[in-house]
Amino acid sequence: MVALSEPTSSAKHSRIAEKPRHESRSCKNRHEQVNRLLAVNPPFEIRPSLNKGLGVFARIPIPRASIIIRDQLVLRYEQGEKPQQKYRRFLRLPTPIQEEVLKLAVLQDVKRSMAAGLKLLLDGVSKDVIAKVMHLEDVLSTNAFEIVVDDPQTPAGLFLTASRLNHSCVPNADRFCGNESKSMSFVANRDITEGEEITISYITHLKHRTERQLELRRWVIVCQCPVCDIDHPDSRAHEYRLKRIARLYQDRCMDNSGRLEAGVGRSRNMLELTAKRARERIMLLSEHCSFHKFLRQA
């Protein structure tokens, strides 16, 4: 991982992470100021996490809605792009960046690697290069993010610091894509205490425990966060709330995104019932995102 800069003497007095403000005409200048502050005095540090390799931890108290990380895109590639094309792009990176990329954790899918290696051999790639190409493929499949959040069809990209963030089904940070998808920001969704690990969700938040565990097998993760721990006192209530939210999203008047379907005539009673369910869904989502006591135990 790229070494973090030591804070300057004046920066050491700042014990609170930068909080984002409303957009203005000076938005670009403000973003540049935030980038400089995060680079000089980052509110996080990277260190070992129990049973998870390396993780990202809060170095200072971080208030809710604060920008924790603003990470620059290192390597972008299209879905379905050939491994040798990605490798050529990788070789154009500065040597120090290449070294940091190759240090990232990898999970090797042996069957996929053998099939891809054979295809590379048939494409005329030399044996010496194949091993390097496949190692990069393993790095990308383990650490890359979709450029557009939760859109698997979008181009993917590698972000060095973000690759050190570990998973939780009740994360304390959410990710947002930056200008023209050249950066990715991670924002605290609640107050984070000093020394607490900063986590994100690798999967969609609103899935049932069984679905979450199946999807997390991709990263060989057996999640032990409070909502996945069936012995945790709040776990059952959390799962029940998820089921209620899922049922509300199946309203006959709603589309898959939870919006009122267009171009369909409805009675007043049906619309009133739909409005009532929408209000209930908002209340449940608010509760789901405000598990303050629960999240602090995560």
Side-chain angles (χ1 to χ4, degrees):
M1 181 52 57
V2 176
L4 301 177
S5 304
E6 282 294 317
T8 63
S9 58
S10 60
K12 288 180 180 178
H13 295 294
S14 174
R15 298 288 295 165
I16 302 296
E18 179 72 14
K19 295 190 75 173
R21 300 170 184 164
H22 294 298
E23 294 295 325
S24 68
R25 285 179 293 182
S26 60
C27 178
K28 183 176 180 180
N29 291 335
R30 190 179 73 251
H31 285 176
E32 291 175 354
Q33 292 172 0
V34 172
N35 284 339
R36 285 195 293 270
L37 176 62
L38 292 174
V40 173
N41 189 30
F44 64 88
E45 62 183 355
I46 296 170
R47 56 183 171 85
S49 178
L50 184 63
N51 299 324
K52 298 179 183 178
L54 293 178
V56 180
F57 292 80
R59 193 175 54 80
I60 57 176
I62 302 175
R64 179 180 177 275
S66 299
I67 298 173
I68 307 169
I69 299 168
R70 182 167 286 161
D71 212 2
Q72 297 302 310
L73 179 65
V74 170
L75 182 65
R76 172 186 170 125
Y77 60 93
E78 301 294 328
Q79 300 292 346
E81 188 173 347
K82 289 185 177 181
Q84 55 267 44
Q85 293 174 325
K86 301 176 199 174
Y87 185 68
R88 290 191 200 103
R89 194 173 298 114
F90 167 76
L91 291 177
R92 292 198 288 268
L93 295 174
T95 300
I97 300 297
Q98 291 185 31
E99 292 173 353
E100 296 302 327
V101 168
L102 296 177
K103 289 178 185 177
L104 295 174
V106 295
L107 298 172
Q108 191 175 44
D109 184 331
V110 176
K111 290 184 178 180
R112 183 190 63 82
S113 295
M114 290 181 64
L118 179 60
K119 191 173 187 308
L120 288 170
L121 193 62
L122 294 174
D123 286 344
V125 180
S126 67
K127 293 181 180 179
D128 295 337
V129 176
I130 287 177
K132 298 177 182 178
V133 172
M134 293 315 304
H135 180 68
L136 178 63
E137 276 293 288
D138 290 335
V139 168
L140 295 177
S141 65
T142 305
N143 297 282
F145 291 86
E146 295 93 2
I147 297 295
V148 178
V149 178
D150 295 332
D151 183 357
Q153 302 305 316
T154 188
L158 190 65
F159 301 82
L160 283 177
T161 303
S163 297
R164 299 300 188 186
L165 290 164
N166 287 315
H167 167 83
S168 173
C169 296
V170 278
N172 53 23
D174 298 314
R175 64 188 178 103
F176 301 89
C177 292
N179 296 334
E180 298 179 355
S181 303
K182 293 181 180 179
S183 66
M184 186 172 286
S185 296
F186 295 83
V187 177
N189 59 34
R190 63 173 175 84
D191 292 345
I192 300 174
T193 59
E194 182 176 349
E196 185 179 353
E197 182 167 11
I198 298 163
T199 57
I200 59 173
S201 179
Y202 293 178
I203 59 177
T204 303
H205 287 205
L206 301 179
K207 291 189 174 183
H208 187 266
R209 181 190 296 112
T210 304
E211 293 178 299
R212 296 196 305 269
Q213 296 288 1
L214 284 172
E215 194 166 344
L216 288 170
R217 286 183 181 178
R218 171 186 166 186
W219 295 276
V220 197
I221 293 174
V222 179
C223 189
Q224 296 296 322
C225 72
V227 295
C228 290
D229 180 1
I230 58 175
D231 295 324
H232 193 283
D234 290 319
S235 179
R236 184 173 297 178
H238 178 84
E239 294 300 315
Y240 177 66
R241 183 178 289 105
L242 291 180
K243 287 182 180 179
R244 289 178 65 193
I245 293 172
R247 282 199 298 267
L248 287 170
Y249 269 94
Q250 293 170 3
D251 192 304
R252 286 186 299 166
C253 292
M254 298 293 183
D255 61 20
N256 291 334
S257 65
R259 295 185 175 89
L260 195 66
E261 277 192 301
V264 180
R266 300 175 185 85
S267 67
R268 179 182 179 85
N269 288 341
M270 178 62 75
L271 290 173
E272 287 178 348
L273 179 60
T274 298
K276 178 182 177 181
R277 289 175 175 170
R279 287 192 294 270
E280 186 178 355
R281 185 168 66 248
I282 291 170
M283 181 189 70
L284 285 169
L285 286 171
S286 178
E287 291 177 5
H288 179 70
C289 295
S290 302
F291 255 156
H292 295 301
K293 175 185 174 184
F294 188 52
L295 287 170
R296 286 196 177 282
Q297 296 172 347

